[in-house]
Amino acid sequence: MECLHGTALRHVEQRTPTNVRATDDIIACEVPVALHYNAVPFAVLMATPCDLADLALGFSLSEAIIGPHDAWQLDDVLEELEGFVVNMRIPEARAARLAQRSRPMPSYGGCGICGSASIEDVLRMPAQVSSQLQVDESALHRALDTLHQQQPLNAETGATHAAGFANARGELLLVREDVGRHNALDKLIGGLHGHNIPAGDGFVITTSRASYELAMKAAQIGIPLLAAISAPTTLAIALAQSTGLGLVGFARDRKCVVYAHPHRLRRTTP
Protein backbone atom coordinates (compact mmCIF):
# COMPACT_ATOMS: atom_id res chain seq x y z
CA MET A 1 0.00 0.00 0.00
CA GLU A 2 1.30 3.44 -0.91
CA CYS A 3 0.02 5.16 2.24
CA LEU A 4 2.24 3.48 4.82
CA HIS A 5 3.54 6.83 6.08
CA GLY A 6 0.26 8.69 5.90
CA THR A 7 0.80 10.45 2.56
CA ALA A 8 0.80 9.67 -1.16
CA LEU A 9 1.77 11.45 -4.37
CA ARG A 10 -0.87 12.45 -6.90
CA HIS A 11 -0.52 14.12 -10.29
CA VAL A 12 -2.32 17.46 -10.32
CA GLU A 13 -2.70 20.66 -12.33
CA GLN A 14 -1.81 23.87 -10.56
CA ARG A 15 -3.77 26.69 -12.18
CA THR A 16 -3.40 30.45 -11.94
CA PRO A 17 -5.06 33.14 -14.05
CA THR A 18 -2.07 33.05 -16.41
CA ASN A 19 -0.62 29.56 -16.15
CA VAL A 20 -1.33 25.83 -15.91
CA ARG A 21 1.43 23.60 -14.56
CA ALA A 22 1.48 19.82 -14.21
CA THR A 23 3.14 18.66 -11.02
CA ASP A 24 3.01 16.15 -8.17
CA ASP A 25 1.28 16.99 -4.91
CA ILE A 26 1.59 15.32 -1.51
CA ILE A 27 -1.85 14.18 -0.35
CA ALA A 28 -3.00 13.02 3.08
CA CYS A 29 -4.19 9.41 3.02
CA GLU A 30 -7.58 8.33 4.27
CA VAL A 31 -8.20 4.60 4.42
CA PRO A 32 -10.57 2.23 6.23
CA VAL A 33 -9.19 0.87 9.49
CA ALA A 34 -11.23 -2.00 10.91
CA LEU A 35 -11.09 -2.61 14.67
CA HIS A 36 -11.64 -6.20 15.77
CA TYR A 37 -11.98 -7.20 19.43
CA ASN A 38 -11.42 -10.86 20.29
CA ALA A 39 -11.69 -11.65 16.56
CA VAL A 40 -15.10 -9.94 16.27
CA PRO A 41 -15.41 -6.86 14.01
CA PHE A 42 -16.73 -3.78 15.82
CA ALA A 43 -16.03 -0.57 13.89
CA VAL A 44 -14.46 0.75 10.73
CA LEU A 45 -12.74 4.13 11.08
CA MET A 46 -11.73 6.27 8.13
CA ALA A 47 -8.28 7.36 9.24
CA THR A 48 -4.76 8.33 8.25
CA PRO A 49 -2.71 5.09 8.38
CA CYS A 50 -0.02 6.05 10.88
CA ASP A 51 0.11 5.46 14.65
CA LEU A 52 -2.58 2.81 14.22
CA ALA A 53 -1.70 1.04 17.47
CA ASP A 54 -2.23 4.35 19.30
CA LEU A 55 -5.50 4.84 17.42
CA ALA A 56 -6.84 1.44 18.42
CA LEU A 57 -5.84 1.82 22.07
CA GLY A 58 -7.06 5.40 22.33
CA PHE A 59 -10.40 4.57 20.69
CA SER A 60 -10.81 1.64 23.08
CA LEU A 61 -10.17 3.85 26.11
CA SER A 62 -12.11 6.92 24.99
CA GLU A 63 -15.14 4.85 23.97
CA ALA A 64 -15.06 2.98 27.32
CA ILE A 65 -14.55 -0.36 25.56
CA ILE A 66 -11.77 -1.01 28.06
CA GLY A 67 -10.78 0.74 31.27
CA PRO A 68 -7.31 2.13 32.04
CA HIS A 69 -6.48 -0.83 34.28
CA ASP A 70 -7.88 -3.59 32.08
CA ALA A 71 -5.62 -6.19 30.54
CA TRP A 72 -5.47 -5.87 26.77
CA GLN A 73 -3.25 -7.01 23.94
CA LEU A 74 -2.63 -5.75 20.44
CA ASP A 75 -2.44 -8.96 18.44
CA ASP A 76 -1.52 -7.49 15.05
CA VAL A 77 -2.10 -4.78 12.47
CA LEU A 78 -2.81 -6.40 9.11
CA GLU A 79 -2.62 -4.62 5.78
CA GLU A 80 -5.42 -5.49 3.40
CA LEU A 81 -6.05 -4.51 -0.19
CA GLU A 82 -7.60 -1.11 0.58
CA GLY A 83 -7.00 -0.66 4.29
CA PHE A 84 -5.95 -2.19 7.60
CA VAL A 85 -7.35 -4.50 10.25
CA VAL A 86 -6.29 -4.00 13.87
CA ASN A 87 -6.86 -7.02 16.09
CA MET A 88 -7.07 -6.48 19.85
CA ARG A 89 -7.60 -8.91 22.69
CA ILE A 90 -9.67 -7.61 25.62
CA PRO A 91 -11.17 -9.25 28.75
CA GLU A 92 -14.09 -11.53 27.99
CA ALA A 93 -16.42 -9.58 30.28
CA ARG A 94 -15.64 -6.41 28.30
CA ALA A 95 -16.16 -8.26 25.03
CA ALA A 96 -19.56 -9.51 26.23
CA ARG A 97 -20.68 -5.96 27.03
CA LEU A 98 -19.30 -4.77 23.72
CA ALA A 99 -21.47 -7.29 21.91
CA GLN A 100 -24.49 -5.29 23.09
CA ARG A 101 -23.18 -2.15 21.37
CA SER A 102 -23.70 -2.37 17.62
CA ARG A 103 -21.89 -0.16 15.11
CA PRO A 104 -23.26 -1.39 11.76
CA MET A 105 -21.87 1.55 9.79
CA PRO A 106 -18.38 2.96 9.29
CA SER A 107 -17.20 6.02 11.21
CA TYR A 108 -16.12 8.65 8.74
CA GLY A 109 -13.10 10.94 9.04
CA GLY A 110 -15.09 13.90 10.36
CA CYS A 111 -17.31 12.03 12.81
CA GLY A 112 -16.29 9.93 15.79
CA ILE A 113 -19.75 8.62 16.59
CA CYS A 114 -21.19 7.85 13.13
CA GLY A 115 -22.48 4.30 13.04
CA SER A 116 -23.50 4.13 16.69
CA ALA A 117 -26.73 2.23 16.83
CA SER A 118 -28.54 4.12 19.60
CA ILE A 119 -28.76 7.53 21.21
CA GLU A 120 -27.74 5.89 24.49
CA ASP A 121 -24.47 4.75 22.93
CA VAL A 122 -23.74 8.31 21.82
CA LEU A 123 -24.92 10.35 24.78
CA ARG A 124 -23.19 8.41 27.55
CA MET A 125 -21.93 10.49 30.44
CA PRO A 126 -18.32 10.01 31.58
CA ALA A 127 -17.37 10.20 35.24
CA GLN A 128 -16.39 13.51 36.80
CA VAL A 129 -12.89 14.72 35.94
CA SER A 130 -10.94 14.25 39.17
CA SER A 131 -7.83 16.27 38.32
CA GLN A 132 -7.58 19.62 40.12
CA LEU A 133 -5.16 21.03 37.55
CA GLN A 134 -5.34 24.72 36.69
CA VAL A 135 -3.41 26.16 33.76
CA ASP A 136 -2.14 29.69 33.19
CA GLU A 137 -3.26 31.37 29.98
CA SER A 138 0.41 31.88 29.12
CA ALA A 139 0.94 28.11 29.18
CA LEU A 140 -1.98 27.58 26.80
CA HIS A 141 -0.62 30.12 24.33
CA ARG A 142 2.89 28.67 24.65
CA ALA A 143 1.59 25.24 23.66
CA LEU A 144 -0.42 26.66 20.76
CA ASP A 145 2.61 28.59 19.50
CA THR A 146 4.65 25.39 19.21
CA LEU A 147 1.94 23.03 17.96
CA HIS A 148 2.31 24.00 14.30
CA GLN A 149 6.00 23.05 14.45
CA GLN A 150 5.02 19.46 15.32
CA GLN A 151 2.57 18.79 12.48
CA PRO A 152 4.69 17.27 9.71
CA LEU A 153 1.73 15.68 7.91
CA ASN A 154 -0.19 18.93 7.80
CA ALA A 155 2.93 20.81 6.70
CA GLU A 156 3.14 18.47 3.70
CA THR A 157 -0.54 18.14 2.86
CA GLY A 158 -2.55 20.90 4.55
CA ALA A 159 -5.26 18.32 5.22
CA THR A 160 -4.78 16.89 8.71
CA HIS A 161 -5.86 17.83 12.22
CA ALA A 162 -3.55 17.64 15.22
CA ALA A 163 -4.15 16.95 18.90
CA GLY A 164 -1.40 17.80 21.34
CA PHE A 165 -0.91 17.17 25.06
CA ALA A 166 0.98 19.76 27.09
CA ASN A 167 2.03 19.85 30.72
CA ALA A 168 1.01 22.64 33.09
CA ARG A 169 3.91 24.78 31.85
CA GLY A 170 2.66 24.59 28.27
CA GLU A 171 5.40 22.24 27.06
CA LEU A 172 4.08 19.88 24.40
CA LEU A 173 4.78 16.29 25.38
CA LEU A 174 3.01 14.46 22.56
CA VAL A 175 1.29 15.29 19.26
CA ARG A 176 -0.69 13.07 16.90
CA GLU A 177 -2.18 13.85 13.46
CA ASP A 178 -5.03 12.46 11.37
CA VAL A 179 -7.53 13.55 8.73
CA GLY A 180 -10.22 13.07 11.41
CA ARG A 181 -10.14 15.30 14.47
CA HIS A 182 -11.50 12.52 16.68
CA ASN A 183 -8.90 10.09 15.31
CA ALA A 184 -6.12 12.55 16.14
CA LEU A 185 -7.39 12.73 19.72
CA ASP A 186 -7.74 8.95 19.99
CA LYS A 187 -4.18 8.53 18.72
CA LEU A 188 -3.05 11.04 21.35
CA ILE A 189 -4.95 9.21 24.09
CA GLY A 190 -3.37 5.92 23.04
CA GLY A 191 0.05 7.55 22.99
CA LEU A 192 -0.44 8.98 26.49
CA HIS A 193 -1.39 5.56 27.84
CA GLY A 194 1.50 3.89 26.05
CA HIS A 195 4.00 6.43 27.41
CA ASN A 196 2.52 6.29 30.93
CA ILE A 197 1.70 10.01 30.87
CA PRO A 198 -1.15 10.76 33.31
CA ALA A 199 -4.03 12.44 31.51
CA GLY A 200 -4.80 14.58 34.55
CA ASP A 201 -1.37 16.20 34.59
CA GLY A 202 -1.82 18.39 31.52
CA PHE A 203 -4.22 19.66 28.88
CA VAL A 204 -5.14 19.01 25.26
CA ILE A 205 -5.13 21.42 22.34
CA THR A 206 -6.71 20.55 19.03
CA THR A 207 -6.70 22.17 15.60
CA SER A 208 -10.44 21.78 15.07
CA ARG A 209 -13.76 22.73 16.53
CA ALA A 210 -14.61 21.36 19.96
CA SER A 211 -17.35 18.90 19.07
CA TYR A 212 -19.25 16.69 21.49
CA GLU A 213 -17.22 13.60 20.77
CA LEU A 214 -13.94 15.40 21.52
CA ALA A 215 -15.26 16.67 24.84
CA MET A 216 -16.61 13.22 25.68
CA LYS A 217 -13.32 11.49 24.86
CA ALA A 218 -11.31 14.03 26.86
CA ALA A 219 -13.56 13.73 29.91
CA GLN A 220 -13.66 9.93 29.63
CA ILE A 221 -9.94 9.63 30.34
CA GLY A 222 -9.77 12.47 32.87
CA ILE A 223 -8.24 15.33 30.87
CA PRO A 224 -9.02 18.52 32.85
CA LEU A 225 -8.86 21.09 30.02
CA LEU A 226 -9.59 20.91 26.29
CA ALA A 227 -8.76 23.89 24.09
CA ALA A 228 -9.69 24.14 20.41
CA ILE A 229 -8.75 26.71 17.81
CA SER A 230 -12.36 26.88 16.61
CA ALA A 231 -15.79 26.95 18.26
CA PRO A 232 -17.46 24.36 20.48
CA THR A 233 -20.99 23.03 20.08
CA THR A 234 -23.83 23.32 22.58
CA LEU A 235 -23.63 19.63 23.42
CA ALA A 236 -19.87 19.84 24.00
CA ILE A 237 -20.41 22.76 26.40
CA ALA A 238 -23.15 20.88 28.27
CA LEU A 239 -20.99 17.79 28.67
CA ALA A 240 -18.00 19.86 29.82
CA GLN A 241 -20.11 21.68 32.38
CA SER A 242 -21.49 18.37 33.70
CA THR A 243 -18.16 16.57 34.00
CA GLY A 244 -15.81 19.29 35.24
CA LEU A 245 -13.94 19.58 31.95
CA GLY A 246 -12.57 23.04 31.22
CA LEU A 247 -13.56 23.94 27.66
CA VAL A 248 -11.89 26.67 25.62
CA GLY A 249 -12.60 27.70 22.03
CA PHE A 250 -11.16 30.15 19.51
CA ALA A 251 -7.75 29.66 21.13
CA ARG A 252 -5.52 31.51 18.70
CA ASP A 253 -3.69 34.81 18.23
CA ARG A 254 -3.15 35.08 22.02
CA LYS A 255 -6.93 35.12 22.55
CA CYS A 256 -9.51 32.57 23.64
CA VAL A 257 -13.11 32.12 24.80
CA VAL A 258 -13.81 30.03 27.91
CA TYR A 259 -17.09 28.10 27.72
CA ALA A 260 -16.99 25.86 30.79
CA HIS A 261 -15.20 25.88 34.14
CA PRO A 262 -13.17 29.08 33.77
CA HIS A 263 -11.24 28.28 36.94
CA ARG A 264 -9.31 25.71 34.87
CA LEU A 265 -7.65 28.53 32.92
CA ARG A 266 -6.10 31.15 35.17
CA ARG A 267 -5.93 34.68 33.85
CA THR A 268 -2.42 35.84 32.99
CA THR A 269 -1.98 39.57 33.41
CA PRO A 270 0.05 41.36 30.72
Side-chain angles (χ1 to χ4, degrees):
M1 178 177 292
E2 61 179 336
C3 280
L4 288 178
H5 301 290
T7 63
L9 283 178
R10 288 291 182 270
H11 299 298
V12 300
E13 282 188 358
Q14 289 184 343
R15 298 188 179 189
T16 69
T18 59
N19 186 47
V20 176
R21 183 170 70 95
T23 186
D24 288 332
D25 197 8
I26 300 174
I27 308 298
C29 294
E30 185 177 29
V31 302
V33 178
L35 302 183
H36 293 188
Y37 295 96
N38 296 10
V40 178
F42 176 68
V44 178
L45 309 179
M46 300 304 296
T48 303
C50 57
D51 301 309
L52 292 183
D54 285 348
L55 175 62
L57 176 56
F59 178 89
S60 303
L61 290 165
S62 72
E63 294 294 325
I65 293 169
I66 60 173
H69 305 297
D70 282 337
W72 61 274
Q73 178 178 321
L74 180 68
D75 287 339
D76 49 39
V77 179
L78 302 176
E79 180 183 347
E80 295 198 339
L81 181 62
E82 295 295 338
F84 294 85
V85 175
V86 181
N87 290 294
M88 289 188 67
R89 182 71 48 183
I90 62 175
E92 288 299 331
R94 290 283 190 179
R97 285 193 291 271
L98 188 62
Q100 307 304 313
R101 295 169 57 181
S102 175
R103 283 176 82 102
M105 296 166 56
S107 297
Y108 299 103
C111 177
I113 54 180
C114 296
S116 297
S118 69
I119 292 175
E120 289 77 11
D121 284 345
V122 172
L123 299 182
R124 56 187 173 82
M125 184 60 63
Q128 287 286 306
V129 175
S130 61
S131 172
Q132 300 302 307
L133 183 73
Q134 295 180 337
V135 177
D136 289 338
E137 280 182 9
S138 58
L140 171 61
H141 296 311
R142 187 176 303 116
L144 288 165
D145 287 344
T146 56
L147 180 61
H148 73 279
Q149 302 169 14
Q150 299 189 37
Q151 298 179 60
L153 283 179
N154 193 61
E156 287 189 314
T157 68
T160 58
H161 288 295
F165 185 85
N167 61 23
R169 296 183 297 277
E171 299 165 341
L172 279 176
L173 304 182
L174 205 62
V175 177
R176 293 290 184 266
E177 294 183 272
D178 197 275
V179 291
R181 61 188 183 275
H182 65 284
N183 291 337
L185 181 55
D186 277 337
K187 288 178 179 181
L188 181 68
I189 291 170
L192 291 177
H193 195 80
H195 286 83
N196 295 313
I197 300 174
D201 288 356
F203 61 96
V204 166
I205 51 179
T206 180
T207 61
S208 68
R209 71 180 186 270
S211 55
Y212 168 80
E213 73 268 31
L214 294 194
M216 184 271 293
K217 289 173 182 291
Q220 178 69 41
I221 68 159
I223 291 169
L225 177 68
L226 172 66
I229 67 170
S230 295
T233 64
T234 56
L235 201 55
I237 294 171
L239 183 139
Q241 290 171 337
S242 297
T243 59
L245 171 70
L247 185 62
V248 176
F250 296 107
R252 54 181 186 252
D253 301 325
R254 319 301 289 183
K255 302 174 186 178
C256 66
V257 180
V258 182
Y259 293 89
H261 299 287
H263 71 279
R264 294 284 192 189
L265 189 66
R266 291 187 297 236
R267 178 71 172 156
T268 301
T269 56

